Structure formats: C-alpha cells, structure tokens
Amino acid sequence: MKLDHPIISSDHVIDDVSVPPFLPSKNPVVTLREQRLPFTIRIVNDEQALQKAVGIRHAAYSRHLPELAQNLREFEQADIAQDTIILLAESKLDGTSLGTMRIQTNLDQPLVLEQSVTLPPWLQGWHLAEATRLGVASGQIGKMVKTLLFKAYFLYCLENGIDWMVITARSPLDRQYDALLFQDVFSGGQFIPMQHVGMLPHRVMAFEVATARTRWAAAAHPLFALMFEIHHADLILDQAYNPLMAQRGTSSMRHDNQERQQQIDKPLG
C-alpha cells in the first residue's frame, strides 16, 4: 500500500514511505525514530467523538455502498459493546474527521462475522479481533489515514494479547489485504455473503500478530519501517474510562429491566 501524501517527520518530510525496509536489529534495545503526523488517531470515549466517527463512516460508505450507508446515519449498538473500541482520525489543523475503524474482540462474544460463517478449527480457541466499518476521507490524505489506522489496529492487538486480526473485504479491496500479508480463512479465497454488510460477498482473511515482524521482514515489505521502526506518538491508544459506554450500558440495562418487569407484571392468559 503506497502512500502518496507526505508524512511529517521529526527531522524531515517523507514524500513516499514505500521505501526499502530496514532489517530488524540484532540489538534487543532499539531506539525508534519519531515521526509526527498531520492527524491524530484516538479511541473514541465520548458522544461527540462517536458522532464524528459515525459521520465520516457514513460519508465514506455513501461513496461506494450508498444503499448500506442509509443504515449508517446513526451509531450502531455494536459501537458501544463492551468488547469493542472505535478509532477516530482527526486533523490537527481544524479537527476534521479523516477516518474511523471499529475493532471488536471475541473475549466476551463471537465476532460479528460469525453471524455469517463458522470459523475453521485453526482459528478456534484463539483471541481474535475483527476490524469493521472502516471509512476514510477521499483523496491522498485518506490513503495515509487508512495505513495508519491499520498500524493502530495492529498495535492495539499487540498490546491486548490478540493472536489473530480478522477482516472481511469485498473485491477489489481484498487485494490491499493480500498486500499486507493477510491469508485466506477459507480455501480458494471464496467470497461469502455477510449479514453485517447487507449480504454483500466478502472474502474472510486473517493476520497472525505474533509472526508479523518476521513475515514482513522476510518479504522485504515496503511498509516494514513504518510499522516497526518508527514511533508515532499521534497514535493514542490509551483506554481511559469511557463515560459514553458506561452511560449507554446503564441506559440499556435500565431498558432491559423495564421490559423484563413488564413481562413479569403482564397478566396470564
């Protein structure tokens, strides 16, 4: 995945990050080069940020899947689930929303893609994280944001003990994940209708977290340096207390309790 938009570094501007990668150092203590971005990527933790994520998501889907986008004008219940986070990229210049991604783990419940498929035995029993609802701004900045969202996704999985990153991708976007060294979950790279994306055929792909560095080095991947040898302080993945989730959870629990009480009080017959 080539980035055509310059990235601001601590010492210079990189016009093209598709450069020959550096090989992993034999020294276990490695000082990463600092690189600043023209945007930040954070975990959504309030209503305003959630609305901004929903807005850029809806705009992105409207360009490519307008029928599905009609159902994405408001936040989804999955956005505030206990095992889910949402990433939001925002411009440092004016706070404009530039991109978003939702990440769900299987620590509390099955992944959303498991509504449509049964994962094969080699993925059973592992900690998984599925990325969905990826949306970025149009133009060159969107391409850069997409790449850094992937890095944030990878770092989140690395920091939270996730074994496999899992995605579903429609054609031709699946080729981007081929380039990132994702592998097919099902033989033949078949495209399977997915409930969470309007039954559109998607290819299910997975990426092993623990072997990522080794595999990318062996492949001389053009984004190796960006992923493993550069520190991006603008990727802020701290999971602070989330009042939005707590508020939504309490509201949802209260609603469920009211419905349950109504059923109890309902006369028999």
Side-chain angles (χ1 to χ4, degrees), residues 22 37-38 70 166 174 198 224 266:
F22 301 98
L37 303 170
Q70 295 301 314
V166 188
D174 60 310
F224 181 91
K266 185 177 180 181

Side-chain angles (χ1 to χ4, degrees), residues 9 14 21 25 28 57 72 75-76 91 100 106 120 136 142 150 160-161 163 179 209 217 220 224 229 248 258 263:
S9 174
I14 298 178
S25 171
R57 174 195 299 172
L72 300 178
F75 79 89
E76 301 174 284
S91 167
T100 185
N106 68 339
V136 298
F150 172 76
N160 287 276
D163 301 303
V209 175
F224 181 91
E229 298 189 335
R248 296 294 187 187
Q258 288 174 348
Q263 290 298 321

